[in-house]
Amino acid sequence: MPIDAQLKEFETTWVPQLNAPLAAAIAADSGDARLAEAMQYSVLAGGKRLRPLLTVATMQARGVSFDSERHWRPVMALELLHTYSLIHDDLPAMDNDDLRRGEPTNHVKFGAGMATLAGDGLLTLAFQWLTATDLPAQTQAALTLALAQAAGPHGMVAGQAKDIQSEHVDLPLARLRVLHKEKTGALLHFAVQAGLILSETPQNQWEPYLQFADAFGLAFQIYDDILDVVSTPQELGKATQKDAGEAKNTYPGKLGLQGANQALIDTIQVGQTALRALPASAARNQLAAFFSYFDTKRVENR
Ligand code: GRG
């Protein structure tokens, strides 16, 4: 099967299963109806669910099958946290965006106060869900520490802090890479790490998986920058051309569109090479198929 069809099939199998319990589970864990509505609104607005899909695929690569009773909440915790980051990033005090996942942003619909609280609620509930499982306490603690490190002031929040400070500052590519690694890469790193923790994989076997995750994370950000230049808001469900301008801290801004596309191709290659260190299997091919998310012909076909 072509690898893009493999990713599509994986999505078709898993996304409905992952989504089905979400609305009720969020409502059950919220003590205020309007807050629950605001949280559900953004979570259910139709994200691609790439992060939980990566966790499930990593578990499968480690030979562990998904048990919804035991794994669903810990696996979906990251999607809650990711959605919080989008809600807060869209707020007037941050990026001030009106469109996300093809819908009006949370603060446009519910007001900035409730949107802030919806983000706070999702961030906190994510940690509750990591421990809402009968998995061993050691597994729950490892997940909690890893997500705190990925999302907190040494991870995504640090990246966002660098981002808001660098709006009118020309960052060298090496510093831009660090910013992206924190802002975007850290949660994708955790997505794979969560699969390793949930499958109780010994840490001395983590390296190729995490190299794959980090290459995927960097490729994801380069592609996000490219799409911002070559796509329309209708295609992406969010504002585009936000980064326009030569001196911007983006891959196309620094390397030009062709240069950014080449960096994307090279980064995918790094990730594919990392995966080749693992024994050949259908599950390994499934991880490799995640790279088909990136259309490296998008630039030349525009
Ligand atoms: C507010 C602390 C804080 C952090 C915000 C996520 C983020 C950090 C900013 C969003 C802006 C941005 C362009 C991030 C990089 C790429 C990214 C995370 C895109 C959105 O992820 P997708 O494409 O979205 O997986 P869906 O909607 O499919 O889940």
Side-chain angles (χ1 to χ4, degrees), residues 109-299:
K109 184 101 178 155
F110 295 92
M114 188 57 83
T116 305
L117 293 173
D120 294 339
L122 290 169
L123 167 60
T124 317
L125 190 56
F127 286 94
Q128 186 177 321
W129 280 14
L130 287 180
T131 58
T133 168
D134 64 359
L135 285 162
Q138 216 181 336
T139 304
Q140 298 179 29
L143 288 169
T144 304
L145 175 63
L147 184 57
Q149 285 172 332
H154 212 297
M156 181 180 71
V157 174
Q160 185 76 349
K162 289 190 176 77
D163 202 26
I164 66 171
Q165 293 172 92
S166 60
E167 253 171 45
H168 301 288
V169 182
D170 183 18
L171 291 184
L173 196 58
R175 280 184 60 198
L176 183 61
R177 259 182 100 126
V178 174
L179 186 160
H180 286 332
K181 194 168 182 187
E182 293 169 343
K183 190 178 97 168
T184 310
L187 291 196
L188 291 160
H189 180 98
F190 174 79
V192 171
Q193 191 181 6
L196 298 171
I197 295 171
L198 287 166
S199 58
E200 297 181 18
T201 302
Q203 284 207 24
N204 64 5
Q205 294 175 36
W206 284 13
E207 194 58 26
Y209 297 96
L210 295 180
Q211 281 173 356
F212 154 73
D214 292 341
F216 187 85
L218 179 57
F220 190 83
Q221 183 62 57
I222 299 173
Y223 193 56
D224 195 68
D225 283 357
I226 292 174
L227 290 181
D228 183 77
V229 180
V230 301
S231 304
T232 61
Q234 290 70 30
E235 282 173 87
L236 295 192
K238 61 180 182 180
T240 58
Q241 263 90 62
K242 292 269 298 179
D243 306 326
E246 288 293 301
K248 277 289 172 184
N249 290 311
T250 65
Y251 273 75
K254 305 243 163 256
L255 303 175
L257 257 185
Q258 296 298 340
N261 205 49
Q262 190 56 50
L264 173 64
I265 292 167
D266 295 345
T267 306
I268 293 171
Q269 195 56 48
V270 169
Q272 298 283 22
T273 304
L275 288 178
R276 280 197 283 276
L278 300 173
S281 70
R284 184 187 80 169
N285 294 347
Q286 185 58 63
L287 285 177
F290 276 81
F291 284 114
S292 68
Y293 170 71
F294 308 113
D295 178 1
T296 54
K297 301 267 182 277
R298 187 71 179 76
V299 168

Side-chain angles (χ1 to χ4, degrees), residues 47-48 51 79 82 84-86 88-89 94 100-101 156-157 160 183-184 220-221 224 238:
K48 297 180 287 297
R51 293 157 191 79
E79 191 63 23
H82 163 61
Y84 124 74
S85 78
L86 300 178
H88 281 197
D89 186 65
M94 295 247 193
R100 170 70 68 181
R101 292 179 165 172
M156 181 180 71
V157 174
Q160 185 76 349
K183 190 178 97 168
T184 310
F220 190 83
Q221 183 62 57
D224 195 68
K238 61 180 182 180

Side-chain angles (χ1 to χ4, degrees), residues 23-38:
I26 291 173
D29 283 333
S30 307
D32 182 90
R34 185 72 176 159
L35 175 65
E37 198 190 330

Side-chain angles (χ1 to χ4, degrees), residues 11-23:
E11 287 172 344
T12 309
T13 306
W14 284 101
V15 172
Q17 275 191 64
L18 293 172
N19 282 345
L22 267 171

